[in-house]
């Protein structure tokens, strides 16, 4: 492959192992750091809220918030040994800001250089840990959760867009890192609190995560000159960087030979009308991804805490923690599988996840599953399906989208998982209330 004489000709067209390893590792760490705050907040916010409720029992804000969540479910006399506060409550606070950002930011975010975006995400993530750690009221904690959501949502759509400036194999690194965030976040938070550290101190220790994001982006990645780092280059990157990015992608995947070449006469940033056309073409990817995540989080936040086996050797809390751990392990394994297997039939993954949700819904209602061991297997399988749907969705978007449209498409499609999660959180509330009233 000939080297061009453009400004993008400085790096070799087929990056060496050293550069590929640096970029893959950089995106792995970016995925880990970006999703870490999201995972930790789901674990920590409930602890913080419980502490504040006990310390400020007469606080009007705390009382209003707690009474709202506990309506119709004030006791623990249900046969499901219900938690009076559904885990869907914190989930909604954590996902709704992300959903709003992913719906609208892709249309304007290209005006903000990547370096500024990453700095903003790191600062907001650090602020979320500080807010929740030092919070003196329920609403301060919720604000911290919202900050974590903003950082995670803006970071995900930005880093997915960023992958188009590198060879396609960095998508596997990013997806694997996001899967690793689930396992690392859950284990690290639980481990630090288990050895006696308070949730507040644990969250302060987590401040190393935003620092790790900055180090990964600014010092580990080896970006091409076409990357708009500090200065927005709306017209330059599309026209000048198009050839380099196309060659990098083709050099990383031997299957690219049958791909149609992008039109050479189309340059410059996408117009609003063109973006709407791209969004229309993305629906075949977004809908299956949203359905997978709806079923997945309906299980996680609406059913998982109700799958209780009183005669099992683990307590209810321990059973729930193992459900969450096995789910995160399944996600990590399947999000790291892109180098081994690629699945184009995304609707099949969606339907299999829906079957999982229906099966466990009936299992909660009629209690026909004989043991928690069987639930462990189903939950692990659930995680495998969800992780596979995520990584394969963005792989095939990257592969099948025209070069000029790819950066926007990667950002816009990221709304799929958040949409499914938000709908699942809303659906989990009535389900939780219904079963806990039995």
């Amino acid at each position: 492959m000939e080297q061009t004489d453009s400004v993008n000709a400085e790096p070799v067209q087929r990056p060496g192992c050293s550069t590929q390893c640096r970029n893959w590792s950089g995106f792995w760490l970016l995925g880990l750091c970006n999703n870490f705050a999201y995972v930790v907040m789901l674990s920590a916010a409930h602890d913080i809220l419980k502490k504040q409720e006990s310390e400020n029992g007469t606080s009007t804000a705390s009382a209003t918030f707690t009474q709202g969540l506990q309506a119709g479910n004030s006791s623990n006399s249900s046969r499901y040994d219900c938690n009076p506060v559904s885990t869907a409550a914190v989930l909604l606070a954590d996902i709704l800001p992300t959903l709003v950002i992913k719906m609208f930011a892709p249309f304007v975010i290209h005006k903000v250089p990547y370096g500024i975006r990453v700095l903003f995400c790191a600062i907001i993530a650090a602020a979320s840990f500080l807010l929740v750690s030092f919070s003196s009221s329920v609403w301060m904690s919720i604000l911290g959760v919202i900050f974590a959501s903003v950082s995670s949502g803006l970071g995900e759509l930005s880093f997915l867009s960023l992958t188009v400036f590198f060879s396609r194999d960095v998508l596997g690194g990013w997806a694997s890192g996001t899967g690793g965030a689930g396992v690392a976040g859950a284990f690290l938070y639980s481990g630090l609190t288990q050895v006696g550290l308070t949730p507040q101190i644990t969250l302060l220790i987590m401040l190393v995560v935003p620092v790790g994001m900055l180090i990964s982006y600014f010092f580990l990645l080896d970006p091409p000159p076409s990357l708009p780092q500090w200065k927005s280059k709306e017209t330059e990157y599309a026209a000048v960087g198009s050839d380099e990015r196309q060659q990098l992608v083709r050099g990383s995947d031997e299957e690219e030979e049958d791909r149609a070449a992008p039109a050479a006469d189309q340059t410059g940033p996408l117009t609003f009308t063109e973006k709407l056309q791209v969004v229309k073409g993305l629906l075949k990817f977004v809908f299956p991804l949203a359905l997978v995540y709806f079923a997945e989080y309906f299980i996680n936040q609406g059913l998982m805490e109700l799958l209780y086996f009183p005669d099992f050797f683990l307590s209810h809390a321990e059973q729930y923690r193992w459900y969450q751990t096995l789910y995160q392990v399944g996600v990590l394994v399947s999000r790291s599988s892109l180098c081994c297997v690629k699945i184009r039939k995304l609707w099949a993954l969606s339907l299999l996840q829906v079957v999982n949700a229906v099966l466990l819904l009936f299992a909660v209602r009629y209690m026909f599953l004989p043991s928690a061991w069987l639930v462990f297997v189903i939950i692990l399988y659930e995680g495998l399906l969800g992780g596979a749907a995520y990584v394969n969705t963005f792989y095939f978007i990257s592969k099948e989208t025209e070069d000029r449209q790819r950066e926007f498409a990667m950002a816009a499609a990221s709304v799929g998982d958040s949409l499914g999660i938000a709908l699942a959180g809303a659906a989990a509330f009535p389900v939780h209330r219904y079963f806990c009233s039995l």
Side-chain angles (χ1 to χ4, degrees):
M1 183 177 296
E2 272 187 23
Q3 199 168 349
T4 64
D5 294 328
S6 71
V7 293
N8 299 315
E10 183 178 332
V12 254
Q13 300 304 320
R14 285 183 183 270
C17 179
S18 173
T19 300
Q20 285 183 326
C21 291
R22 278 185 58 183
N23 290 334
W24 194 96
S25 301
F27 272 95
W28 190 92
L29 288 171
L30 288 172
L32 178 75
C33 295
N34 187 71
N35 283 29
F36 202 89
Y38 169 84
V39 172
V40 169
M41 287 303 165
L42 286 179
S43 302
H46 188 237
D47 289 340
I48 299 294
L49 292 175
K50 282 174 62 180
K51 180 178 183 295
Q52 289 167 357
E53 183 183 347
S54 63
E55 291 180 352
N56 307 315
T58 59
S59 170
T60 302
S62 178
T64 303
F65 182 80
T66 306
Q67 289 168 6
L69 291 178
Q70 294 181 354
N73 186 29
S74 58
S75 71
N76 209 23
S77 59
S78 165
R79 60 177 174 170
Y80 296 100
D81 188 32
C82 290
N83 185 340
V85 179
S86 170
T87 54
V90 177
L91 175 70
L92 284 176
D94 215 1
I95 200 61
L96 288 179
T98 294
L99 177 61
V100 173
I101 288 173
K102 289 183 177 181
M103 288 179 67
F104 299 106
F107 291 92
V108 296
I109 197 65
H110 63 280
K111 298 179 181 294
V112 183
Y114 280 96
I116 295 176
R117 294 192 221 176
V118 175
L119 279 175
F120 179 79
C121 290
I123 291 170
I124 293 297
S128 72
F129 288 126
L130 291 171
L131 274 171
V132 177
S133 180
F134 292 112
S135 64
S136 56
S137 66
V138 171
W139 297 113
M140 193 171 173
S141 293
I142 295 298
L143 182 61
V145 173
I146 291 173
F147 272 39
S149 178
V150 170
S151 173
S152 175
L154 182 61
E156 182 175 14
L157 68 89
S158 296
F159 292 130
L160 282 169
S161 295
L162 183 67
T163 62
V164 308
F165 292 91
F166 300 83
S167 59
R168 184 168 292 125
D169 56 6
V170 300
L171 267 174
W174 161 263
S176 178
T178 58
V183 177
F187 270 114
L188 188 57
Y189 179 80
S190 299
L192 291 176
T193 54
Q194 192 72 35
V195 298
L197 295 180
T198 64
Q200 287 81 0
I201 298 298
T202 300
L203 287 174
L204 289 177
I205 294 174
M206 302 293 181
L207 286 172
V208 301
V209 174
V211 176
M213 176 185 289
L214 294 177
I215 293 174
S216 301
Y217 179 78
F218 289 108
F219 299 102
L220 187 54
L221 290 183
D222 184 19
S226 59
L227 178 67
Q229 184 76 279
W230 298 111
K231 185 178 179 181
S232 179
K233 298 188 292 185
E234 294 182 30
T235 57
E236 292 179 358
Y237 97 87
V240 178
S242 175
D243 187 56
E244 177 199 36
R245 285 177 289 147
Q246 182 180 337
Q247 290 176 7
L248 280 170
V249 168
R250 287 182 172 173
S252 68
D253 192 343
E254 296 178 354
E255 299 174 3
E256 286 299 302
E257 295 178 0
D258 59 347
R259 189 172 140 206
D265 59 340
Q266 294 182 336
T267 59
L270 296 172
T271 65
F272 183 74
T273 302
E274 288 176 319
K275 289 180 178 179
L276 291 181
Q277 289 297 320
V278 174
V279 170
K280 182 179 178 181
L282 289 175
L283 295 181
K284 62 184 178 182
F285 296 104
V286 172
F287 282 160
L289 184 64
L291 184 57
V292 165
Y293 272 82
F294 172 80
E296 190 170 323
Y297 275 79
F298 181 77
I299 294 170
N300 293 355
Q301 308 303 328
L303 303 177
M304 198 177 282
E305 60 184 323
L306 304 176
L307 290 164
Y308 172 49
F309 295 85
D311 298 328
F312 200 64
F313 71 93
L314 297 175
S315 68
H316 190 182
E318 290 169 335
Q319 289 177 41
Y320 181 76
R321 280 198 293 270
W322 273 106
Y323 293 156
Q324 292 286 358
T325 300
L326 288 170
Y327 162 74
Q328 297 292 355
V329 170
V331 170
L332 171 60
V333 171
S334 57
R335 287 196 179 190
S336 305
S337 66
L338 191 60
C339 60
C340 304
V341 60
K342 298 174 180 65
I343 303 172
R344 181 61 182 85
K345 296 181 179 179
L346 302 175
W347 278 108
L349 299 173
S350 304
L351 294 177
L352 289 173
Q353 197 72 291
V354 169
V355 170
N356 268 350
V358 172
L359 171 65
L360 292 179
L361 177 64
F362 280 97
V364 168
R365 179 62 182 89
Y366 298 106
M367 297 182 171
F368 58 78
L369 293 180
S371 170
W373 290 112
L374 183 56
V375 180
F376 289 160
V377 174
I378 295 173
I379 296 298
L380 178 64
Y381 171 60
E382 174 210 347
L384 290 171
L385 289 176
Y390 181 92
V391 68
N392 283 280
T393 293
F394 288 104
Y395 172 80
F396 283 103
I397 289 174
S398 175
K399 182 179 178 180
E400 298 176 11
T401 307
E402 291 183 10
D403 184 72
R404 180 169 169 262
Q405 301 172 348
R406 190 176 298 120
E407 186 177 3
F408 170 76
M410 295 292 281
S414 66
V415 74
D417 57 347
S418 298
L419 177 62
I421 294 171
L423 292 175
F429 272 115
V431 171
H432 184 273
R433 175 176 293 186
Y434 168 74
F435 283 116
C436 291
S437 66
L438 296 178

